[in-house]
Amino acid sequence: MKKTKPMIASERSYIIEKEKFVPVSEYYGEDTFSNKIMKEKLPKDTYKKLMDSINEDKALDIETANIIAHAMKEWAIEKGATHFAHWFQPMTGITAEKHDAFAEPSGIGEVVEKFSGKQLVQGEPDASSFPSGGIRATFEARGYTAWDMSSPAFIKRNGISTTLCIPTAFISYTGEALDKKTPLLRSNRAVSKSAVNMLKLLGGKNIKKVNATLGPEQEYFLIDMDYFFKRPDLVLGGRAVVGAPPAKGQELEDQYFGSIKERISSYMHDMEEELFKLGVPAKTRHNEVAPSQFELAPMFEEANLAVDHNQLVMDTMKSVAKKHNLACLLHEKPFAKINGSGKHVNWSLSDNHGNNLLNPGNTPQDNIQFLVFLIATVRAVYKHADILRASVASYGNDHRLGANEAPPAIISVFLGEQLTQILTNIEKGTVTKATNAEIIDLGISSLPAVSKDNTDRNRTSPFAFTGNKFEFRAVGSSQSISFPAAVLNTIVAESLDYLAEKIKASTVKNINQAVLEVLKKEIKEIKPILFNGDNYTKEWELEAQKRKLPNDKTTPVALKALITDKALNLFEKYEVLSKVELKSRYVIYLEKYIKDLEIEVKCLKNICMSQVIPAAVTYQKKLAEAIIGTKEVLGNAAVVSSQAEILKRVLDAVNNIYSVNKEILAKVEAAAAIHDEAKKADLLCSKVKTKMDELREYVDTLECLVDDEIWPLPKFWEMLFIS
Ligand code: ADP
Ligand code: MG
């Protein structure tokens, strides 16, 4: 493509800005109605009532809500807010908000700013335009949003517009969850209950609540905005549907953790400043493996907050990028044959005293507890690998999972050598009395040393234990982490209950010994899920098959795990999702898959017909004229065979592009006639997707033949290497 336009650096001058340098600690969380602010602004008894409601998970009376709403409004107006909005997470996977002005008419030509407890606690957005998977027919489109007191309200600034955002759950009038927050909150409750019971059984005292903790590492790409707008595929679908890989990719390994370019550093600085103001603990930033790929890892937080914050991270990444004339790409695989983006979701459980339950302790007793939670998690993954896989299934993630750089579609657990050895020791049954000495003999005393520095990091594992937490690496970079987290919480709750029942049923008096005997049996059963080797190899795929581990490579297949009796009963039993709710999710995810694929088909068609083929024809004409012209001047003896060969190759590519495109369109049309969404998705996946890949090869061949000056699309090397 013609490169005439110089890169526009950031519109803002950081050097000047930084003259009024303010330490982060002075503005961290300033745009949130934080605990500190609430303590300051609310009457003592109101503050206490609110905290009790949050901690004990109970509703707030309307008088208290009125007082809080008033304080919140005053605070927001001081921050410049003119509007308030219930901020929620519909099944689109992104966030939604409807703004209402604080100003209300108070007389003729007069207004007064108002915000009541009722408006704080409940909202009524029109639910008909959000996906519900058939839960709610459009004629009964009413839904409501309910304040989630556990996530602080915040100020959202967009240009000069300033809005008070109140995190809410989104529910139908008949009580079904229409969003991603509700099941997460319910799953937190479920895992807390099961974990508290287990801790009590193991002799724990004063344990009231257990929280799931999440630390989502967010990967992303940045490209120049000017290039972005010249790629309809990136604008509309987030992924380059055509484009040849650059001559240099990531093979030199010079990008990962490399020094960050100035333009990018400035962007990161700006983006993190926004996040800090919102109380998002943006901790670590670095270059990722692919050129122009980066990562932001926040400090972990309580799950619900971490999910909300990850949504804010994704929003902020995109909006700040615009100010730097950059486009932030969150797609799982924006550039074929280049490293894709995921979201490593670090997960653990923590009791109300802040003790991490997956942290090996210093005493044998602590370590028994650690082993119980560790094995409960491994068992959960073993029993429900299919559901976990389904929780990360999407059209975008299909391009990444199993692509030899991301974890495979086979879910397995990495524990590292040392821990695996300990489990083997337990399984072999060296325990008879479970005395401290015996426990030490098992190798358990060395558990504290199983710190993350010692677990050899296995980057290929989809679910790895990394010292004091599990890291679920199959999550897609653009997806909400809410459902994967809700699934983890739910399946672990079930396994904790299962183990608790076994322990209680044991006739062995000594609790430690009873536990070890139960674990011994369990380890034997769940062993097939453990794998410390290289997950990318063909051998593992075959081995996994022998072990009967699911290997669902595509979304339409993977999603079916959500509607098995096993899944439906599990989610219902733990009151996370009713059968109707879970089935509706299956439908929504399936529809999303179909829509994403169809959008790409249209993009591909338009690019081929209105950009690629015309460029090829222009070049074709140029070559043909050159051949004729050369012969005219030099006579028929002139050797023009190379030009003729290029011409032929261009022509072949154009013909192939045209005919494969036609085939694709015919198949899409055939799919459109199918009413069963599952069948339709299967057909699109097996027949259309494969053809799209074939079509792309022809286009990419052409890209390398046609005159660069007339190629209509920015190329990968331009987008990825120019900053
Ligand atoms: P890595 O080497 O993978 O970068 P880090 O220790 O830096 O490992 O942690 C990566 C992520 O894991 C961070 O986002 C961090 O907050 C998160 N994390 C650490 N401890 C926990 C925990 N107990 N629960 C959930 N996430 C955690
Ligand atoms: Mg990590």
Side-chain angles (χ1 to χ4, degrees), residues 217 344 459 471:
E217 304 168 41
H344 293 178
R459 290 277 157 203
E471 192 168 328

mmCIF file of all heavy atoms in Angstrom, residues 217 344 459 471, ligand 2:
data_model
loop_
_atom_site.group_PDB
_atom_site.id
_atom_site.type_symbol
_atom_site.label_atom_id
_atom_site.label_comp_id
_atom_site.label_asym_id
_atom_site.label_seq_id
_atom_site.Cartn_x
_atom_site.Cartn_y
_atom_site.Cartn_z
ATOM 1 N N GLU A 217 -4.756 -11.643 33.307
ATOM 2 C CA GLU A 217 -3.688 -10.990 32.532
ATOM 3 C C GLU A 217 -4.224 -10.736 31.122
ATOM 4 O O GLU A 217 -4.578 -11.669 30.424
ATOM 5 C CB GLU A 217 -2.461 -11.892 32.467
ATOM 6 C CG GLU A 217 -1.947 -12.304 33.833
ATOM 7 C CD GLU A 217 -0.922 -13.427 33.757
ATOM 8 O OE1 GLU A 217 -0.068 -13.395 32.857
ATOM 9 O OE2 GLU A 217 -0.991 -14.341 34.589
ATOM 10 N N HIS A 344 -4.946 -14.894 30.562
ATOM 11 C CA HIS A 344 -4.663 -15.890 31.588
ATOM 12 C C HIS A 344 -5.417 -15.488 32.840
ATOM 13 O O HIS A 344 -5.141 -14.435 33.412
ATOM 14 C CB HIS A 344 -3.166 -15.943 31.888
ATOM 15 C CG HIS A 344 -2.366 -16.456 30.723
ATOM 16 N ND1 HIS A 344 -0.998 -16.548 30.753
ATOM 17 C CD2 HIS A 344 -2.755 -16.906 29.506
ATOM 18 C CE1 HIS A 344 -0.587 -17.042 29.597
ATOM 19 N NE2 HIS A 344 -1.625 -17.257 28.826
ATOM 20 N N ARG A 459 4.320 -23.334 29.873
ATOM 21 C CA ARG A 459 3.539 -22.339 29.139
ATOM 22 C C ARG A 459 2.504 -22.972 28.220
ATOM 23 O O ARG A 459 1.689 -22.297 27.622
ATOM 24 C CB ARG A 459 4.476 -21.438 28.327
ATOM 25 C CG ARG A 459 5.305 -20.519 29.191
ATOM 26 C CD ARG A 459 4.492 -19.291 29.535
ATOM 27 N NE ARG A 459 5.005 -18.662 30.744
ATOM 28 C CZ ARG A 459 4.289 -17.865 31.522
ATOM 29 N NH1 ARG A 459 3.040 -17.618 31.239
ATOM 30 N NH2 ARG A 459 4.816 -17.319 32.587
ATOM 31 N N GLU A 471 -3.820 -21.138 37.007
ATOM 32 C CA GLU A 471 -3.863 -20.190 35.906
ATOM 33 C C GLU A 471 -4.605 -20.841 34.748
ATOM 34 O O GLU A 471 -4.116 -21.795 34.159
ATOM 35 C CB GLU A 471 -2.418 -19.835 35.523
ATOM 36 C CG GLU A 471 -2.295 -18.662 34.607
ATOM 37 C CD GLU A 471 -0.843 -18.173 34.480
ATOM 38 O OE1 GLU A 471 -0.069 -18.292 35.460
ATOM 39 O OE2 GLU A 471 -0.489 -17.693 33.407
HETATM 40 MG MG MG B 2 0.881 -15.659 33.894
#
